[in-house]
Amino acid sequence: MENIEQLRIELISSVDKAENMSALEEIRISALGKKGRITGMMKTLGSLNKEERKEAGQTLNKLKNEVANAIDSRKNIFEETELDVRLATEKVDVTLPIRPESHGRIHPTSQTLDEIVAIFGQMGFDIAEGPDIEDDFHNFTALNIPQNHPARQMHDTFYIAGEDENKHLLRTHTSPVQIRSMIKQKPPIKIIAPGRTYRCDSDITHTPMFHQIEGLVIDKTSHMGHLKGCLLEFIKAYFEIDEVPIRFRPSFFPFTEPSAEMDIGCSRKGGELKIGAGEGWLEILGCGMVHPNVLASCGIDTDEYQGFAFGLGLERIAMLKYGIPDLRTFFETDLRWLKHYGFVPLDIPSMTRGLSMTGGTAR
Ligand code: DAH
């Protein structure tokens, strides 16, 4: 048998000298691996007599533990130094001011969403979300659009192949989030639900994917007057003008009764569209009092609760505020377009500091 003390000194000193993880691993294999030196010595114990075996066994075990511990602590040192090096090289000075030459821009869809969230956030609305892939129940049936109802044809739905009775589809509007919120949460409810929506359609004002924002307020007392006040405040804040005429036209949506479409005043003098008092009107969103059938399908007592809902196209009102003529350009990922219509990253919309500090022009 090799001289154990000699071996101990040799192994410990080579562990101390190892310069990296792979050198350590080599030492471990050569000493403690299947064919390692310590393992080899242990295999020879059988040839010794009882007394000698006991003594040599204990010494070898001690050596084995000592070498394993030395390897572990050297490993820890490597890991710590590696982390220190990474921390030093990946350091970011968060106090540095933004570089004026930074070219990144915030997409108008994101900017508009942030603006709308800031406005409704200040009015006390929470944000709710639902899945892009919906089922027939949430997208239609629970919204009082039964099978074979003509209103289903109003939406050019992308269905997902499958035999399922409760068919899956790409949601055609954000209204199913109303259903999910009412099933999940007891009234009072006051939410907006922004998100992607999909319809099989494409022209200057339609794209197969676009964004909507849904609003829902359910409590014991909210009525059409509250709906009107809420939307008027929203429109004034969003377009950043003090006086905007609004009007409500009777309309039809299966999930609201009564239903209305809201128009805002505008002028088109000299071919330029301007929001505010003028000779024209512009349709901006759909809304109404939530239909009792919808409340009932979510298990809400219609004798006790009522409320209003509204839904609007995010890109549509971004186009109106920022003078973007073609909806399809939002999704063409053309950097020149983004540079022109995009927003400086740190201009985060806020109701106190200003919604769109650049006012949509000096970008
Ligand atoms: N979901 C409707 C659509 O996509 C928009 C809408 C209208 C939503 C009226 C509502 C509402 O919540 O009350 O055409």
Short mmCIF file of all heavy atoms in Angstrom, two decimals, residues 173 175 178 199 212 214 253 255-256 286-288 309-311, ligand 1:
data_model
loop_
_atom_site.label_atom_id
_atom_site.label_comp_id
_atom_site.label_asym_id
_atom_site.label_seq_id
_atom_site.Cartn_x
_atom_site.Cartn_y
_atom_site.Cartn_z
N HIS A 173 -63.29 39.56 -29.83
CA HIS A 173 -63.38 40.82 -29.07
C HIS A 173 -62.89 40.57 -27.65
O HIS A 173 -62.64 39.42 -27.26
CB HIS A 173 -64.80 41.40 -29.11
CG HIS A 173 -65.90 40.43 -28.74
ND1 HIS A 173 -67.21 40.78 -28.67
CD2 HIS A 173 -65.87 39.10 -28.40
CE1 HIS A 173 -67.95 39.74 -28.32
NE2 HIS A 173 -67.16 38.72 -28.15
N SER A 175 -64.70 41.24 -25.10
CA SER A 175 -65.88 41.06 -24.23
C SER A 175 -65.86 39.76 -23.42
O SER A 175 -66.40 39.74 -22.30
CB SER A 175 -67.16 41.17 -25.06
OG SER A 175 -67.19 42.41 -25.73
N GLN A 178 -65.15 40.09 -19.82
CA GLN A 178 -66.26 40.46 -18.92
C GLN A 178 -66.76 39.20 -18.22
O GLN A 178 -66.92 39.17 -17.00
CB GLN A 178 -67.46 41.00 -19.72
CG GLN A 178 -67.30 42.36 -20.33
CD GLN A 178 -68.66 42.83 -20.88
OE1 GLN A 178 -69.71 42.48 -20.38
NE2 GLN A 178 -68.62 43.64 -21.92
N ARG A 199 -59.88 38.92 -36.21
CA ARG A 199 -61.00 38.71 -37.14
C ARG A 199 -60.44 38.53 -38.54
O ARG A 199 -59.43 39.16 -38.89
CB ARG A 199 -61.96 39.90 -37.13
CG ARG A 199 -62.73 40.00 -35.84
CD ARG A 199 -63.74 41.11 -35.85
NE ARG A 199 -64.11 41.43 -34.47
CZ ARG A 199 -64.95 42.38 -34.13
NH1 ARG A 199 -65.53 43.11 -35.05
NH2 ARG A 199 -65.22 42.60 -32.87
N GLN A 212 -58.22 45.63 -28.58
CA GLN A 212 -59.40 46.31 -28.05
C GLN A 212 -59.21 46.56 -26.56
O GLN A 212 -58.37 45.92 -25.91
CB GLN A 212 -60.65 45.42 -28.19
CG GLN A 212 -61.22 45.36 -29.58
CD GLN A 212 -62.58 44.66 -29.60
OE1 GLN A 212 -62.95 43.95 -28.66
NE2 GLN A 212 -63.34 44.89 -30.66
N GLU A 214 -61.79 46.68 -23.24
CA GLU A 214 -63.13 46.47 -22.74
C GLU A 214 -63.25 47.16 -21.40
O GLU A 214 -62.27 47.21 -20.64
CB GLU A 214 -63.28 44.95 -22.52
CG GLU A 214 -64.67 44.49 -22.34
CD GLU A 214 -65.41 44.42 -23.68
OE1 GLU A 214 -64.76 44.51 -24.74
OE2 GLU A 214 -66.64 44.30 -23.64
N PHE A 253 -76.10 45.57 -29.55
CA PHE A 253 -75.11 44.54 -29.21
C PHE A 253 -75.87 43.51 -28.38
O PHE A 253 -76.66 43.90 -27.51
CB PHE A 253 -73.95 45.11 -28.39
CG PHE A 253 -73.17 46.17 -29.10
CD1 PHE A 253 -73.34 47.51 -28.78
CD2 PHE A 253 -72.28 45.84 -30.12
CE1 PHE A 253 -72.64 48.50 -29.46
CE2 PHE A 253 -71.58 46.82 -30.80
CZ PHE A 253 -71.76 48.16 -30.47
N PHE A 255 -75.04 41.74 -25.99
CA PHE A 255 -74.69 41.66 -24.57
C PHE A 255 -75.04 42.91 -23.78
O PHE A 255 -74.74 43.00 -22.59
CB PHE A 255 -73.20 41.32 -24.41
CG PHE A 255 -72.34 41.86 -25.52
CD1 PHE A 255 -71.79 43.13 -25.45
CD2 PHE A 255 -72.10 41.08 -26.64
CE1 PHE A 255 -71.01 43.62 -26.48
CE2 PHE A 255 -71.33 41.57 -27.69
CZ PHE A 255 -70.78 42.84 -27.61
N THR A 256 -75.64 43.91 -24.43
CA THR A 256 -76.06 45.10 -23.70
C THR A 256 -77.49 45.47 -24.07
O THR A 256 -77.93 45.24 -25.19
CB THR A 256 -75.13 46.30 -24.01
OG1 THR A 256 -74.85 46.31 -25.41
CG2 THR A 256 -73.86 46.26 -23.24
N GLY A 286 -68.48 51.27 -28.75
CA GLY A 286 -69.78 50.68 -28.46
C GLY A 286 -69.94 50.51 -26.96
O GLY A 286 -68.95 50.29 -26.25
N CYS A 287 -71.18 50.62 -26.48
CA CYS A 287 -71.37 50.54 -25.03
C CYS A 287 -72.83 50.24 -24.70
O CYS A 287 -73.66 50.14 -25.60
CB CYS A 287 -70.95 51.85 -24.38
SG CYS A 287 -71.87 53.26 -25.00
N GLY A 288 -73.13 50.12 -23.44
CA GLY A 288 -74.51 49.91 -23.02
C GLY A 288 -74.60 49.36 -21.62
O GLY A 288 -73.58 49.18 -20.93
N ALA A 309 -71.04 48.49 -19.71
CA ALA A 309 -69.84 47.97 -20.37
C ALA A 309 -69.56 48.83 -21.60
O ALA A 309 -70.45 49.50 -22.12
CB ALA A 309 -70.05 46.53 -20.79
N PHE A 310 -68.32 48.80 -22.01
CA PHE A 310 -67.98 49.48 -23.26
C PHE A 310 -66.79 48.78 -23.89
O PHE A 310 -66.06 48.05 -23.21
CB PHE A 310 -67.69 50.97 -23.03
CG PHE A 310 -66.63 51.24 -21.99
CD1 PHE A 310 -65.28 51.30 -22.32
CD2 PHE A 310 -66.97 51.45 -20.65
CE1 PHE A 310 -64.31 51.54 -21.36
CE2 PHE A 310 -66.00 51.69 -19.68
CZ PHE A 310 -64.67 51.74 -20.05
N GLY A 311 -66.63 48.98 -25.20
CA GLY A 311 -65.50 48.36 -25.89
C GLY A 311 -65.04 49.26 -27.02
O GLY A 311 -65.86 49.85 -27.72
N1 DAH B 1 -67.49 43.65 -28.38
C1 DAH B 1 -67.95 44.68 -29.30
C2 DAH B 1 -67.24 44.51 -30.64
O1 DAH B 1 -66.19 44.00 -30.68
C3 DAH B 1 -67.69 46.04 -28.74
C4 DAH B 1 -68.54 46.36 -27.55
C5 DAH B 1 -69.76 46.96 -27.71
C6 DAH B 1 -68.13 46.02 -26.29
C7 DAH B 1 -70.58 47.25 -26.67
C8 DAH B 1 -68.95 46.29 -25.19
C9 DAH B 1 -70.17 46.91 -25.40
O2 DAH B 1 -68.60 46.01 -23.94
O3 DAH B 1 -70.95 47.21 -24.33
O4 DAH B 1 -67.77 44.94 -31.62
#
